[in-house]
Amino acid sequence: MGRPIRTRRQATLASLAAELGVSRTTVSNAYNRPDQLSPELRRRVLETARRLGYPGPDPVARSLRTRTAGAVGLLLTENLSYAFRDPAAVGVLEGLALACEDAGVGLHLVPASPGREDVAAVNRAGVDGFVVYSVPDDDPHLAAVLSRPVPTVVIDQPAIEGVDRVGPDDAAAITELAGHLVDLGHRQVGVLCMRLSRDRNDDFASVERQRAAHFHVQRTRLAALAKTFEAAGVAWNTVPVVERFEHTVDEGASGARQLLDAYPQVTALICTSDILALGALAEAGRRGLRVPADLTVTGFDGIAEATRAGLTTVHQPVLEKGKAAGKLLLATNEQMTPRVVTLPTELRVGATSGPPRTAEELWFGP
């Protein structure tokens, strides 16, 4: 599993000017003040730029400290509506917006729908820096962000050498949750996880697919679960893991349905997000299963809806995550060493986890 290669543009404004034998001002005018050039000269500049792979002058040529553009770009590889309907994303967005307000800068959303390869929106964004929110390590938009000569901070994933990052210790957090289930006596468990890669797979995820996941948060959580349950005597290759590409309550319900139809003996369903867990709870209710007497359900995130549902979950401070990322990006001090901010998590045991049903309960239960 290689990390995305941090590339630079094949040509800069200066190298393009040298190639053409003109001044940098002439090249800049071809893009920004075309009336200053003859049509023939402008055509020659643009054709040479295309040949050398130069997309145009960087919208912000100075450092973040100058705040020339006065805006921070938020890259999320989801449809734009996701930022306003997913509770965890809303919390992150609010925190980042608060950091931008404190610094007196704007926030520019740069959504990239899953499967979309066009990175023009990244190249065109007039921003002083980017916050990248939870993208796969092979995403072309991520590579485009890293090619820009502006600061970048990653929220959650991926972990990239030399790039600042903010997020929880996912392995430690879910290990604590798994330990809670092991202590309760659960050995017949199933997992419902968010998408593992850019290719769609609304189905069971093999161990090989789990280990090759390009979303490292999901990969890390699954690996930590495997380690904990194998230590308790459960062979991980016997644990069903269902993956869902879309992150919605309805998809959580359909994923739980698929898993429980195939593995009715499961006594605990571990969901790698609260949204998926809320769907699983809805499916459990549809099937007439008592939670937690018949089925334990757990989540991850600690969103308000999960609290109201009494869900056993790992709480992470999503608003603080956004604020921390914004503060890192907007810090005025020169910082050469990459910084990693690890946010605290808390296991909150609610009303949805309990000991596994016994054989007698399974036989005589409803």
Side-chain angles (χ1 to χ4, degrees):
M1 175 66 56
R3 288 194 279 266
I5 298 173
R6 186 169 183 143
T7 60
R8 292 291 177 185
R9 290 176 176 169
Q10 295 179 345
T12 64
L13 186 146
S15 65
L16 180 58
E19 173 78 10
L20 289 161
V22 299
S23 69
R24 286 183 290 181
T25 300
T26 297
V27 174
S28 179
N29 283 342
Y31 290 90
N32 301 317
R33 303 178 65 190
D35 59 308
Q36 299 296 306
L37 305 181
S38 68
E40 175 58 28
L41 178 55
R42 183 169 187 264
R43 181 191 61 78
R44 189 159 63 91
V45 170
L46 296 180
E47 285 183 354
T48 304
R50 281 193 293 270
R51 176 170 58 82
L52 297 179
Y54 178 66
D58 192 273
V60 181
R62 288 174 289 176
S63 68
L64 184 62
R65 189 184 306 182
T66 65
R67 294 176 186 170
T68 303
V72 167
L74 173 63
L75 175 73
L76 66 159
T77 51
E78 298 287 348
N79 296 317
L80 183 59
S81 60
Y82 184 85
F84 300 97
R85 62 177 168 79
D86 181 85
V90 169
V92 168
L93 183 61
E94 181 182 358
L96 180 57
L98 289 171
C100 289
E101 287 176 8
D102 290 343
V105 300
L107 181 58
H108 178 70
L109 298 183
V110 187
S113 301
R116 185 176 178 181
E117 300 292 327
D118 184 8
V119 299
V122 172
N123 291 331
R124 289 195 306 262
V127 297
D128 299 312
F130 282 96
V131 172
V132 175
Y133 178 38
S134 197
V135 306
D137 57 23
D138 64 342
D139 192 274
H141 301 88
L142 172 65
V145 163
L146 296 177
S147 75
R148 293 280 300 270
V150 295
T152 299
V153 174
V154 172
I155 295 178
D156 288 340
Q157 58 191 341
I160 306 169
E161 186 176 353
V163 178
D164 294 344
R165 188 171 68 88
V166 175
D169 185 336
D170 287 284
I174 206 153
T175 294
E176 185 178 9
L177 174 65
H180 167 64
L181 298 179
V182 168
D183 290 344
L184 286 172
H186 290 282
R187 298 298 185 271
Q188 298 281 353
V189 300
V191 179
L192 181 54
C193 73
M194 296 169 65
R195 75 175 71 135
L196 299 177
S197 296
R198 290 194 294 147
D199 62 304
R200 193 178 195 105
N201 177 54
D202 291 318
D203 208 338
F204 289 94
S206 66
V207 173
E208 291 73 24
R209 181 173 175 83
Q210 296 170 40
R211 292 172 178 168
H214 287 278
F215 284 90
H216 97 252
V217 166
Q218 298 299 304
R219 186 174 73 239
T220 298
R221 291 178 188 176
L222 290 171
L225 288 172
K227 183 176 180 180
T228 302
F229 280 101
E230 285 183 342
V234 178
W236 187 250
N237 61 3
T238 67
V239 174
V241 176
V242 167
E243 178 184 352
R244 279 298 180 265
F245 191 82
E246 300 294 342
H247 189 226
T248 66
V249 172
D250 287 345
E251 287 301 304
S254 74
R257 186 177 312 124
Q258 182 178 18
L259 193 150
L260 293 173
D261 281 348
Y263 295 87
Q265 71 273 23
V266 161
T267 63
L269 185 52
I270 306 165
C271 304
T272 63
S273 80
D274 286 348
I275 291 294
L276 296 179
L278 291 171
L281 287 175
E283 174 60 18
R286 189 190 71 81
R287 302 169 85 95
L289 294 175
R290 301 165 299 169
V291 176
D294 297 321
L295 180 69
T296 281
V297 178
T298 66
F300 197 112
D301 282 332
I303 62 176
E305 291 88 339
T307 300
R308 289 193 290 270
L311 182 68
T312 292
T313 187
V314 173
H315 176 268
Q316 59 171 324
V318 291
L319 188 143
E320 287 304 317
K321 187 187 293 185
K323 288 182 68 175
K327 289 178 179 178
L328 270 185
L329 191 70
L330 295 163
T332 56
N333 61 305
E334 296 281 340
Q335 178 71 39
M336 300 302 295
T337 304
R339 296 158 294 181
V340 176
V341 176
T342 303
L343 298 173
T345 58
E346 178 188 359
L347 173 61
R348 295 184 176 178
V349 177
T352 64
S353 60
R357 60 182 181 261
T358 64
E360 290 76 15
E361 288 173 327
L362 181 61
W363 179 258
F364 292 108

